[in-house]
Amino acid sequence: IPTRERADTLFYTIQTCLNQTYSNYEIIVSDNYSKDHTKEVVMSFNDSRLKYINTGKRVSMSENFEFALSHVKDGFIMFIGDDDGVVPNSLEYVNDVINDTSCKAIVSHNAFYTWPDSHGISNRLYWSHRSGYEVRDTKKWIERYLRFNMQYTFDLPGAYCGFVHKSLFEKVSKDGVFFRSSTPDAYSALAIAFSTTKYVYSHSAFAVHGSSSNSNGGSFLSKEKGKEARESKLFKQENTIPFHKDIVFTKAFRTSSLEAYLQFADTFPEFTKNYQIDWKLFLSYVLTERTNNTKEEIENAVKKMCEIHNVKYKEIQEVKRNRFENLSFMEIVDKVINRIKLRLKRQKNKIDNTLDYGVNNIYDAVLLLKFFQNIE
């Protein structure tokens, strides 16, 4: 758990990590030189499974992730945010799946919880209506990612709210460094994807992504230029990894994830030599992420990237995007059926106001999710 001055949410995150039936695991809290009572919160649990480490000085987010990784000796690793949560008994479930499949990477469908103080709509809980898991061909999903109808890297085998064996990290580390982008979650998903031929995708969520007032990503990407929250401004100020020269930084998920891909490609060209980027297609998809708050900023960034990559801005506005491209007939049928199921079961996979259930933190949110998973 990489953390910095979020002791209040961290307390509940640690609670979710300790509420597991599986016993052979360790929780490392990597404190990025916090000035609040983070250390006291960790020590208050007085649990032998908990280990507290401190960077000793303020470092960037990616450096804190790297620092935490350097303290792992062996086994499967999950990175989780300090306002996220692990669903009860998930470690036992993941262990069974690993033993059944022999895969070294497993990720689950995203469940989301918005804390009471989150930016935008608060006190909501979302999860997938599907259950079970599937073993995926990594190459196939890398190709899907590079068609850009995937907004971010959640379908790839990342270690952020997923589990990845340490040997895979080592396969794509160089000079003792794994994280090489300012966006560590996206970078881990892309780097790990190139380090393994298969991975498990669980439709049943075993982790819940939390969004609170201190969350970097969502709060930054949804704000107007110059109106980012304090955490987002610090994230940019403290970043020590230059943004890739082929990408203009803007408030779009696709630019952040492709920037991570390019950083990996520069470091490990032998892994990515058979893949080409369709810049016209990429930039046309970036435009689809415009909101009322970010429209002007994203359009300006896209125009600059058009100049960098010799693409005409007018042409990308005319690109026809097909989300079903290269899908088999049965895959399309499966998508349609699941969309129908989702609409029919809408009331069972979304709670619009968790306060109706007395839920106002991530620990209670994962308990509520577990309850609904059990009755479905």
Side-chain angles (χ1 to χ4, degrees):
I1 311 173
T3 188
R4 183 187 68 181
E5 293 170 4
R6 298 181 188 173
D8 294 341
T9 57
L10 175 66
F11 174 81
Y12 296 105
T13 294
I14 292 174
Q15 274 193 313
T16 72
C17 296
L18 292 171
N19 190 21
Q20 303 292 322
T21 52
Y22 186 78
S23 59
N24 184 25
Y25 71 103
E26 179 182 57
I27 304 164
I28 299 175
V29 178
S30 184
D31 184 1
N32 190 357
Y33 204 54
S34 295
K35 300 301 183 182
D36 64 0
H37 56 293
T38 292
K39 184 175 182 179
E40 288 74 16
V41 164
V42 178
M43 297 306 177
S44 71
F45 286 94
N46 191 28
D47 194 299
S48 61
R49 292 171 292 181
L50 263 175
K51 178 180 179 180
Y52 172 85
I53 57 176
N54 193 300
T55 56
K57 63 178 182 178
R58 183 56 54 83
V59 298
S60 69
M61 181 188 294
S62 289
E63 287 173 318
N64 193 18
F65 273 63
E66 194 73 51
F67 181 72
L69 180 61
S70 71
H71 285 78
V72 179
K73 295 178 181 178
D74 195 13
F76 283 82
I77 303 166
M78 168 194 269
F79 283 89
I80 189 169
D82 51 15
D83 55 5
D84 301 335
V86 183
V87 178
N89 307 333
S90 288
L91 298 191
E92 189 168 330
Y93 165 71
V94 170
N95 187 61
D96 289 342
V97 173
I98 290 168
N99 288 335
D100 289 343
T101 64
S102 298
C103 285
K104 291 188 175 182
I106 173 173
V107 68
S108 73
H109 186 279
N110 293 312
F112 289 98
Y113 168 66
T114 56
W115 287 72
D117 66 346
S118 66
H119 301 278
I121 301 173
S122 58
N123 302 305
R124 285 198 172 182
L125 179 64
Y126 306 83
W127 66 95
S128 173
H129 69 287
R130 301 181 67 179
S131 59
Y133 65 86
E134 62 185 79
V135 177
R136 289 182 168 179
D137 178 335
T138 313
K139 181 180 178 181
K140 180 178 179 181
W141 283 87
I142 291 172
E143 291 171 350
R144 285 191 179 185
Y145 166 77
L146 288 174
R147 292 197 294 273
F148 305 115
N149 54 16
M150 189 187 300
Q151 188 179 47
Y152 205 55
T153 57
F154 294 132
D155 275 300
L156 299 176
Y160 191 82
C161 289
F163 285 92
V164 176
H165 196 271
K166 191 169 189 290
S167 61
L168 298 187
F169 283 93
E170 293 170 346
K171 190 180 292 188
V172 282
S173 292
K174 193 171 185 178
D175 300 325
V177 177
F178 172 78
F179 292 100
R180 295 179 176 274
S181 167
S182 60
T183 314
D185 58 337
Y187 186 86
S188 84
L190 288 157
I192 296 301
F194 282 98
S195 72
T196 185
T197 58
K198 64 177 183 176
Y199 66 100
V200 172
Y201 183 90
S202 172
H203 299 288
S204 302
F206 51 70
V208 177
H209 292 250
S211 176
S212 65
S213 61
N214 290 325
S215 297
N216 284 317
S219 61
F220 174 73
L221 291 169
S222 63
K223 296 290 183 180
E224 292 180 63
K225 187 174 183 178
K227 294 187 179 181
E228 297 88 1
R230 172 181 174 272
E231 288 293 321
S232 298
K233 291 179 179 178
L234 287 174
F235 167 76
K236 289 198 295 182
Q237 291 169 6
E238 295 168 357
N239 177 43
T240 56
I241 303 174
F243 214 64
H244 197 278
K245 61 181 176 56
D246 288 342
I247 297 288
V248 175
F249 185 73
T250 190
K251 295 174 182 175
F253 284 100
R254 287 180 177 86
T255 56
S256 294
S257 67
L258 188 64
E259 193 275 341
Y261 169 86
L262 292 170
Q263 298 281 22
F264 176 79
D266 282 357
T267 309
F268 296 97
E270 67 272 23
F271 285 91
T272 60
K273 62 183 178 181
N274 294 324
Y275 296 93
Q276 299 294 323
I277 296 172
D278 184 335
W279 287 101
K280 186 184 294 185
L281 182 64
F282 166 71
L283 293 171
S284 73
Y285 269 111
V286 172
L287 284 181
T288 68
E289 295 190 47
R290 290 172 294 185
T291 66
N292 290 335
N293 287 336
T294 63
K295 183 177 184 293
E296 182 179 357
E297 182 179 351
I298 288 177
E299 287 178 351
N300 288 336
V302 168
K303 288 175 182 177
K304 291 177 182 177
M305 284 187 278
C306 282
E307 294 177 4
I308 294 171
H309 299 290
N310 205 21
V311 174
K312 293 182 179 179
Y313 184 71
K314 183 178 180 181
E315 290 180 357
I316 67 171
Q317 295 175 301
E318 299 170 353
V319 173
K320 294 182 179 179
R321 296 173 296 272
N322 181 6
R323 61 183 303 190
F324 296 119
E325 181 185 8
N326 295 327
L327 292 182
S328 69
F329 173 74
M330 290 308 299
E331 286 175 321
I332 295 173
V333 170
D334 185 57
K335 276 185 171 290
V336 172
I337 290 174
N338 282 308
R339 180 60 60 87
I340 293 171
K341 286 181 178 179
L342 180 62
R343 289 183 177 179
L344 292 175
K345 298 181 69 173
R346 177 70 68 180
Q347 72 282 4
K348 291 186 178 181
N349 78 316
K350 181 180 73 170
I351 294 173
D352 289 324
N353 189 358
T354 58
L355 295 179
D356 291 342
Y357 295 85
V359 171
N360 62 4
N361 61 71
I362 194 69
Y363 178 75
D364 290 335
V366 298
L367 293 179
L368 186 61
L369 172 59
K370 185 67 174 179
F371 170 77
F372 278 99
Q373 284 181 336
N374 287 340
I375 65 174
E376 285 183 357

